[in-house]
Amino acid sequence: MDAQLTRWRAETPAAAAGLVHLNNAGAALMPAPVLEAIEDHLRLESRAGGYEAAEQVAPLIADAYEDVGRLIGAGGRNVAVVENATAAFALALSAFDFAPGDAILTTRNDYISNQLMYLSLARRQGVDVVRAEEALEGGVDAQSVREILRRRPVKLVAVTWVPTNSGLVQPVTEVGDECEAAGVAYLVDACQAVGQIPIDVSRLRCDFLSATARKFLRGPRGIGFLYVSDRALADGRAPLYVDMRGAGWVAADDYRLAGDATRFENWEFAYALLLGLGEAARYALAVGVEEAGRRALELAAYTRERLGALDGMRVLDRGARLCAIVTAQVGALDAREVVAELRGWGINTSATTRDVALLDMDAKGASSAVRISPHYYNTRQEIDIAVGALRGLV
Amino acid sequence: MTAERDGAPDRPDGSDRPAPVLAELYQELILEHYKRPRNKGELEDADVEMHLMNTSCGDEVRLQLRLEGGVIRDARHMGNGCSISQASVSMMSDLLKGKTIPESIELAQRFTDMMHGDPVAAREKRMGALRALAGVSQYPVRVKCALLGWDALLQALKKIGGEEEEEHGTGGSEGRDR
C-alpha cells in the first residue's frame, strides 16, 4: 500500500477498522478532518449559542464558500448552500418562468427526481419534456441535442452528468458547447460527479450546477450546493420563492435580490454541516480530484473485470465513458436482498431498482442491480472480498 | 471605512467575541485580502525565501523577504490555498514592513498565541487586520492554515540567523544587511 493510500485510510477510521465501504455513490465515509470540523462547530454552538457561534466563525463560513468555489472553478459568490442536490436542482428550475409549450430538453438518463420535476412542470405548466436521442454506446448524443436545438425553441437544457443507477458519464461539456452556440440556458446535475470528476464550470458553460456533499465529495449528509453563474445572476435569475436571506424587503411592495448566489439560500441552515462541506472541499482539493478519480476509476474497472468473469453476473454499465459506479444484475436475485446479505458480512453496497431508472433499466432488461461504488481510499483487496462474497451468492 | 477595515476595529465592550456587524466586517476583510492580496508577487532581490506546504490540505506559501540593517524592508508572497491561509499571509506581509527581526518574531508569537485562543492577543492594537482571524482559533484543524505564512516567516528568519552565525560567528539573529 503506498504512503498516500495509507494516510487516506488512516484518516478514514471505519475503513482502517476493516469496514468494506463500497457505497460511495450512496454516502462516502467522511475523512476525520470533516467530522472534526462538524463536531467542533456543534460543540461551539452548545457553548456559545447557535447564532453567536456563527458570528464568531464568520471567516470560516466565508472560507467554506470559497473552498467549494475553488473545487468547481468558481468564486464563493457563485455558490449557494442548500440542503441537497435535489433541492439545488429544484431551485434552479424555479428560476425559469415556464409557460405552456416551453420545452425542457433533457436525457433518458437523467436522475429520477429530475425527471419527476420535468413531468410535474409538464402536468402543471404545460411544459414539453423533450429527451434527446441516445448515442449507440449509451448516454445522450450531443449531436441529437444540437439537432433539437436547431429544430425548435428550447427554454432550458438539463442534464444529469452521472446517473445514480449506472456507471455512465454523460458528455456534459459537449452538450454545454451546443447550449452556448444556441444561446440556451443550461443546468447540470453534478450530484454523482463532484469529487470523482474534476469540474470547471467555465468549461461546462453551464448557468447552474447542482451537487451534494455526501457522495464522492466525502462530506456530511444533509447539505449540498448550487453553482449560479455570473450570467445567471446578471440576468436576474432567482428562485420562485425568495427568502429573507436572498433578498431585502426595501419597500412595502418591493424587494431587492442579493447580488450573489445567496439569493438562492434560506436564512436558516446547518452551519456545522456547511463547515463540514467546506472541509470536504478542501480535503478533495488536497487529494486532487483528478487523482481521486483516476484511482476510483481503476478500482471500478477492476470490479467490472472481476464481476464479468463470474457466471450468472451481468455488468450493466454502458457508455463511451464510465465512472466509479459499477452496476450488475446478480443472477435472478433481487439486488436488495444481495445488498442485505453483503452488509451482514461488513460489505457496504447499495441496490438500484427499475422504478428509479425506468428508461435505462427497461432498455437493459433488468429489474434490479447491485451498485458497487469504490473511491480512492478503497483497495483491490476490498474489491476481492466483495467479489468473493458475491460469487457465493450467484 | 477603509481605514477602519484595515485596522480591524475594537469591539466597544472589549470582548474578543466579534459583534454581528464586526463579524461581517471581519469576513469582508478576510475576503478582501484573499481576492486582492497585498504584496503578492516575486522579489528580485530577496535576501531569504521560504516555501512551505501544508500536506494535509494542500495550502502553499512561498515567502520572500528583503532586509536592510536588520529591518524588513519588503515582503512578498506567492502561493495558493484557502482564504484563511492566503489572507493571513497577505495581512502579515503588510505588517512586517519596517519591523526589525525581533519585532517580527514577537508579532509571530502573538499571532500564534491568538490562534491558540489567547483573548489578550486578540485585542492588541498592533495585531491590526490580523484580529479578523481570531475566530479561527475555535477550530484546531484550521489553525494551521492561518499559521502557514507565519511558520514560513519564522523559518525564514531562522535561516537568516543561521547564515549570519556562519558568516559572523555570532549567536544573534539581527544585523543582516546585504
Side-chain angles (χ1 to χ4, degrees), chain B residues 8 20 26 35 45 53 78 80 89 93 97 100 107 119 143 150-151 157 163 166 177:
Chain B
Y26 282 176
K35 290 172 181 168
D45 52 351
M53 188 170 183
M78 301 279 282
N80 56 67
V89 74
S93 65
K97 290 178 192 175
T100 63
L107 184 65
V143 167
W150 296 87
D151 289 342
L157 296 178
E163 284 171 12
E166 277 175 28
D177 189 359

Side-chain angles (χ1 to χ4, degrees), chain A residues 276-287:
Chain A
L277 165 65
E279 197 58 41
R282 288 164 43 72
Y283 197 88
L285 286 163
V287 169

Side-chain angles (χ1 to χ4, degrees), chain A residues 104-123:
Chain A
I104 294 177
L105 175 57
T106 186
T107 79
R108 296 174 66 80
N109 279 289
D110 261 43
Y111 177 55
I112 174 176
S113 297
N114 304 351
Q115 301 275 11
L116 293 172
M117 287 184 227
Y118 309 146
L119 294 176
S120 177
L121 282 167
R123 184 178 292 179

